[in-house]
Amino acid sequence: MPNSFFFVRNHSATPLIDVKNWRLSIEGNGVSNPFTMNYDDLLKMPSTTVIRYVECAGNGRSFYDTLLKRPAQGTQWHLGAYGIAEWTGVRLSDILNRAGIKSTAVDVMPVGLDSTAVERPVPVAKAMEDDIIVAYFMNGDIIPPDHGFPARVLVPGWVGVNSVKWVGKITVSETPIRTEKNTTTYVLIGPDYTPPASPALGR
């Protein structure tokens, strides 16, 4: 799908990031060699290209109202909140290995540089899969600002919020990470679903 037609879903206004000042820090008690890289450092690492889709959790949300008469909160998407693109970047596993990810690490959480600092963790096993990348090209071009310039994390097969845009930090933890976006939002809730007990928020 051409970049100009790819759906846009942001939690805040699109940040305009000066690539010369952009930094990506890898930190947390789950790595033994935390470090920070700039854009040139990222481009110098071995790259990979994958074709994958990204889908917003709200894709089709409008049908809760039109079909079930139970409107759901959020953008009332029909079926346009997904897109397929060719993504080029660095495997997240290569970055984590460079940081000395520990065998005791449990969760990996990218954090965005937008005003709401979007964050949502994934288990280490997911983060280390070959097609999880820190992407800087989209369909052969530099990623547009609305899609995460200068770099975003691509997490295929998981809800779109995990593909964090404008990534500026990746936290690796030896304990499960609980945030608003994996405890109270972007989770199954409601009168017909009783979520499992979870530890208190914090990292």
Side-chain angles (χ1 to χ4, degrees):
M1 179 175 291
N3 294 352
S4 59
F5 289 105
F6 204 97
F7 83 98
V8 174
R9 169 66 175 98
N10 298 334
H11 290 82
S12 63
T14 298
L16 299 179
I17 297 172
D18 184 344
V19 71
K20 292 181 290 186
N21 297 325
W22 176 82
R23 298 293 184 272
L24 175 63
S25 64
I26 317 301
E27 56 190 64
N29 60 19
V31 294
S32 56
N33 302 305
F35 72 97
T36 299
M37 66 167 64
N38 61 27
Y39 193 66
D40 287 339
D41 294 331
L42 183 66
L43 297 184
K44 289 175 184 175
M45 292 188 69
S47 67
T48 188
T49 297
V50 298
I51 297 174
R52 296 291 187 274
Y53 77 91
V54 176
E55 182 176 12
C56 176
N59 193 35
R61 184 182 285 134
S62 65
F63 298 119
Y64 277 94
D65 185 19
T66 58
L67 297 180
L68 303 176
K69 306 306 178 188
R70 296 173 62 182
Q73 294 181 344
T75 305
Q76 296 302 301
W77 294 104
H78 292 284
L79 294 177
Y82 78 96
I84 301 169
E86 178 187 87
W87 307 92
T88 298
V90 176
R91 288 187 177 92
L92 181 55
S93 61
D94 289 346
I95 295 173
L96 296 176
N97 284 330
R98 179 175 166 183
I101 187 168
K102 299 177 182 178
S103 61
T104 52
V106 173
D107 278 351
V108 176
M109 185 174 70
V111 182
L113 293 171
D114 51 323
S115 62
T116 57
V118 170
E119 56 184 12
R120 193 170 193 266
V122 297
V124 166
K126 180 65 178 179
M128 299 298 282
E129 291 181 359
D130 281 348
D131 61 351
I132 311 301
I133 66 174
V134 175
Y136 46 78
F137 284 173
M138 181 180 181
N139 290 323
D141 292 324
I142 294 172
I143 289 183
D146 275 339
H147 296 290
F149 177 83
R152 73 178 295 171
V153 177
L154 178 71
V155 184
W158 280 51
V159 63
V161 70
N162 277 101
S163 292
V164 172
K165 300 177 182 180
W166 317 291
V167 63
K169 179 172 69 174
I170 297 175
T171 299
V172 186
S173 175
E174 292 182 289
T175 56
I177 300 175
R178 305 299 184 196
T179 71
E180 180 263 338
K181 285 186 171 52
N182 73 336
T183 57
T184 59
T185 61
Y186 294 95
V187 293
L188 295 171
I189 59 174
D192 299 326
Y193 179 79
T194 303
S198 61
L201 293 180
R203 55 185 85 90

